[in-house]
Amino acid sequence: MAEILLPLLVLCPLAASLLVFLSAGRMGARAIGTVACAGVGISAVASIILSVMLLSGPVAGGLQVTLWPWMRVAGLSADIAFTLDRISMVMVLVVTIVGLLIHVYAAGYMRDDPGIARFFGCMTLFVAAMLVLVLASDLLCLFIGWEGVGLCSYLLIGFWYDDPANTAAARKAFYMTRMGDVALLCGLLLLACATGSLRIGTVLASVADGRLPASGVNVAAAFILVGALAKSAQIPFQAWLPDAMAGPTPTSALIHAATMVAAGVYLIARVHDLFAMAAPVMALTAVLGALTLLMGACTALVQSDLKRILAWSTISQLGYMFLVLGCGVWQAALFHLMTHAFFKALLFLTAGAVIMRAGHEQDIFRLGGLRRAMPGLTAAFVAGASALAGLPLVTAGFYSKEMILSGVWHVHFGLAREWTLSGHPLWGIALLGAFLTALYIFRCVFIVFCGKAGTRAAGRTSRLMGIPLVCLSVLSLFGGVIEMPDTLPSLHLFSALLNPGTPLSHADEPVWLVLAGALAPLAGLGVAWVLWGRPSPVMREIPGQAGVIRPARTGRGMDVLYDRVFVQPFRLLAWLTRLDIPGHAITGTGRLTRAANAGILGARAGLLEMLAIRATGTARWAGHLPGLFQNGRVRWYAAWIAGGLCAGLAMAVLS
């Protein structure tokens, strides 16, 4: 049965995408939404059935189907094959179930858009590409899905292409993620040359057996890390994600919150054995994750656009995942990936409904008092905000962040034989990030839904859009109870699911560690209430919008850096190429050479002519000289003979 259901996971959304594309203009909005939701829905049902089959089978087993051999060349083989194991199962369930809820929401959100067929065609094609990425048992097949989600992301970000800003954002995302894709391809080619295969199991076995030298492992891991950083919008590739909010809100929820940006996290978790052998790359991953989560939280704190706040929040939360991946606790990264998909999709979809009913107003300072006009949306947004902040015990985000904080606290990086780096400083950054997360998200809650009324709300949220919000609210609040720290009622279902028999547990974990993780978001909530939540708030905007705050708020600081470091030098090179300065230099050199050659030829001709004239004159004079002696005078002849005889006798006597 697995031989049928595994390909069906990909074929259903792919067939729905083709059907919607080919029938554009012939189907109504409701029919298009129904076809798209049916395609993703069948994949969701199939994923649940396959998960039950996998969990009921052998512990170390997996479901695998080889569709066809792709290439067979000397020293390398590649197949189009799918594998469902416990790691890919988590991602498949997230992609299909969350994707289905977002598609149902989008059917109501996009029903009046004239490009609805193009939208759902790209959305279902994205789901198919994401499933290829997740299920691929060969790294080359994974790269196909990797490129597929990048293409669909470009099409969906620039969906409303009439606005030049949207097309610019799409190009920006495409170019920046392509830089990472090139690095990823370099890493895959390096592994292919070293192991003779790109099958994930074969590559990891070769690494474990020591067939790759340490330098090769480090270089390959570094290349893969660059690809993951670009796809997941981590430092220094984070600038594309906030601009990607130009696309429709369901696009933001599906691609830039729940699935595509998590592809980098999944890739590193998928080849975690390779990264475990590259200690310097692991340390770099953790440091970049810590810096990104702190930078994203600080930037979100000064944003005024509702969707950009959530975008920077996504960057920050992905930083948590990279931090714990660098610490080697990849189970915690996947757990937070799952809970993040729940509450961030909920926040984006709720924000989309709020923006739609507020006349497409996204500035939080022009909104306000919406809890009276939108009590249901307020409850959904507060549920998502609470999960994002990680409020203790009552939200899924608390348990996943607690798992991250615990993993970071206990890690030690062995960078050299006698040099180890403790994870305690990184734990402090993560705890500060938890405080800032609660601060900026509840700043948004208090300004938008409480206080003085701003933009007037109109209309009602349709039931088709409301059902996914209810489901995601339940998952955001209760989806994390499958993994609890040991200081609470010990429950490790998620880590036991990924590593049967060896669940991730820290029995010696101090109680104050859990208390610190619980108090940090509560402190952030309290400060946010004091500053923005009271009837007479202390502040409305962050003071001092000049200086360092302004680049952070506009998000253009990194763009300026990229412009100075990459764009301007490239433009200078293009300008030099357009002017063809090397061509002009070569032409000028040729002209100078021809002129010098002509001068040398002229000088040689003049010298030869002068020498010829002088030689002729000398010969004429030499010919005239004997004539002077032959003048016919006998006395002169006798005198010359006598003089010559005297000269000869003198020379004879002297010698």
Side-chain angles (χ1 to χ4, degrees):
M1 189 174 182
E3 291 78 5
I4 299 175
L5 291 181
L6 266 178
L8 193 66
L9 278 175
V10 178
L11 289 177
C12 285
L14 180 60
S17 174
L18 294 176
L19 182 60
V20 169
F21 274 131
L22 295 176
S23 62
R26 302 180 182 87
M27 295 173 58
R30 179 175 295 181
I32 291 173
T34 300
V35 170
C37 293
V40 181
I42 295 174
S43 288
V45 174
S47 67
I48 294 173
I49 296 174
L50 285 168
S51 299
V52 173
M53 293 173 57
L54 177 65
L55 296 178
S56 61
V59 171
L63 306 177
Q64 183 170 337
V65 173
T66 300
L67 300 181
W68 63 84
W70 187 3
M71 62 176 69
R72 292 288 187 272
V73 295
L76 177 65
S77 62
D79 299 325
I80 300 296
F82 294 154
T83 298
L84 183 71
D85 57 9
R86 292 171 182 262
I87 297 177
S88 59
M89 182 192 74
V90 174
M91 283 296 297
V92 166
L93 291 173
V94 169
V95 171
T96 55
I97 294 176
V98 176
L100 174 61
L101 294 174
I102 294 173
H103 273 69
V104 173
Y105 175 95
Y109 186 89
M110 300 291 293
R111 63 179 180 271
D112 298 326
D113 195 292
I116 186 172
R118 178 164 51 90
F119 172 79
F120 273 111
C122 293
M123 287 279 281
T124 50
L125 181 61
F126 170 82
V127 173
M130 190 69 195
L131 289 173
V132 170
L133 187 157
V134 171
L135 292 172
S137 60
D138 190 283
L139 288 173
L140 201 55
C141 182
L142 182 147
F143 189 73
I144 296 175
W146 188 275
E147 290 297 301
V149 297
L151 173 62
C152 295
S153 173
Y154 167 77
L155 296 174
L156 288 167
I157 295 170
F159 177 74
W160 290 312
Y161 55 84
D162 294 335
D163 188 348
N166 295 346
T167 56
R171 289 195 303 270
K172 182 178 181 179
F174 190 80
Y175 294 153
M176 295 194 73
T177 53
R178 289 296 77 75
M179 290 189 288
D181 295 349
V182 171
L184 175 60
L185 183 59
C186 291
L188 299 188
L189 294 176
L190 179 61
L191 291 175
C193 293
T195 64
S197 173
L198 280 175
R199 201 168 189 84
I200 296 176
T202 303
V203 170
L204 297 182
S206 300
V207 173
D209 293 342
R211 289 183 231 169
L212 272 74
S215 58
V217 173
N218 286 325
V219 173
F223 276 129
I224 294 175
L225 174 62
V226 173
L229 291 173
K231 189 68 77 176
S232 297
Q234 299 293 284
I235 290 176
F237 302 101
Q238 79 283 358
W240 69 267
L241 186 58
D243 290 346
M245 298 302 106
T249 298
T251 297
S252 303
L254 178 65
I255 298 180
H256 307 120
T259 51
M260 173 185 161
V261 293
V265 178
Y266 170 77
L267 176 61
I268 296 178
R270 175 87 271 179
V271 295
H272 62 270
D273 290 339
L274 171 66
F275 275 76
M277 303 293 290
V281 180
M282 290 279 283
L284 178 62
T285 304
V287 171
L288 289 177
L291 294 177
T292 303
L293 76 87
L294 192 59
M295 180 272 299
C298 292
T299 308
L301 188 59
V302 297
Q303 297 295 310
S304 59
D305 186 287
L306 181 55
K307 290 180 67 175
R308 290 183 74 90
I309 292 173
L310 299 180
W312 282 106
S313 171
T314 298
I315 294 173
S316 179
Q317 296 306 303
L318 289 167
Y320 273 104
M321 301 177 206
F322 274 83
L323 168 61
V324 77
L325 282 173
C327 296
V329 193
W330 55 272
Q331 301 92 334
L334 289 180
F335 187 38
H336 194 59
L337 185 155
M338 182 187 74
T339 60
H340 177 263
F342 297 154
F343 60 71
K344 191 53 66 67
L346 172 62
L347 287 171
F348 268 112
L349 297 184
T350 308
V354 169
I355 292 169
M356 175 183 287
R357 291 182 57 182
H360 299 282
E361 179 59 66
Q362 297 185 196
D363 192 333
I364 61 174
F365 297 112
R366 296 179 182 176
L367 303 170
L370 294 181
R371 73 178 186 276
R372 303 178 186 86
M374 310 177 186
L377 293 180
T378 302
F381 197 91
V382 170
S386 301
L388 171 61
L391 296 187
L393 303 180
V394 295
T395 64
F398 166 74
Y399 298 105
S400 59
K401 283 189 179 179
E402 182 55 41
M403 192 175 180
I404 290 175
L405 292 172
S406 177
V408 174
W409 176 264
H410 291 90
V411 75
H412 288 83
F413 299 98
L415 300 180
R417 290 184 178 179
E418 299 179 355
W419 182 31
T420 60
L421 178 65
S422 173
H424 295 174
L426 299 178
W427 176 86
I429 293 176
L431 192 66
L432 176 59
F435 169 79
L436 293 174
T437 301
L439 183 62
Y440 70 70
I441 194 60
F442 278 101
R443 163 183 175 260
C444 184
V445 169
F446 292 137
I447 292 176
V448 173
F449 296 100
C450 303
K452 185 179 179 180
T455 302
R456 186 182 181 87
R460 294 178 59 85
T461 304
S462 66
R463 184 174 300 177
L464 200 60
M465 296 169 61
I467 292 175
L469 298 182
V470 174
C471 296
L472 289 171
S473 297
V474 173
L475 292 173
S476 298
L477 295 176
F478 306 109
V481 295
I482 58 175
E483 186 77 25
M484 294 187 181
D486 291 319
T487 51
L488 299 175
S490 182
L491 187 62
H492 301 287
L493 294 180
F494 187 83
S495 58
L497 171 70
L498 296 177
N499 280 342
T502 57
L504 190 65
S505 175
H506 298 290
D508 57 343
E509 185 174 79
V511 177
W512 66 265
L513 201 64
V514 178
L515 289 177
L519 292 176
L522 292 177
L525 170 60
V527 174
W529 183 83
V530 170
L531 296 179
W532 296 285
R534 296 188 302 176
S536 299
V538 174
M539 67 173 63
R540 184 168 176 81
E541 296 208 39
I542 298 292
Q545 295 299 327
V548 73
I549 298 296
R550 183 174 297 168
R553 185 170 185 178
T554 60
R556 302 301 178 190
M558 206 66 187
D559 291 343
V560 173
L561 179 61
Y562 281 131
D563 184 72
R564 300 287 173 81
V565 176
F566 299 108
V567 178
Q568 294 301 333
F570 184 80
R571 285 181 175 175
L572 176 61
L573 181 61
W575 179 75
L576 294 175
T577 304
R578 186 169 62 251
L579 292 179
D580 197 16
I581 291 179
H584 289 306
I586 293 173
T587 304
T589 303
R591 290 175 181 173
L592 290 175
T593 303
R594 286 196 296 271
N597 188 39
I600 292 173
L601 289 176
R604 187 183 66 175
L607 178 62
L608 291 176
E609 183 180 2
M610 182 187 67
L611 292 175
I613 293 172
R614 294 295 177 87
T616 302
T618 303
R620 186 180 295 115
W621 180 81
H624 181 68
L625 184 62
L628 297 177
F629 299 104
Q630 302 295 328
N631 54 9
R633 296 178 181 179
V634 177
R635 292 178 181 178
W636 282 98
Y637 297 160
W640 285 112
I641 292 172
L645 180 61
C646 291
L649 291 173
M651 292 178 62
V653 172
L654 293 175
S655 62

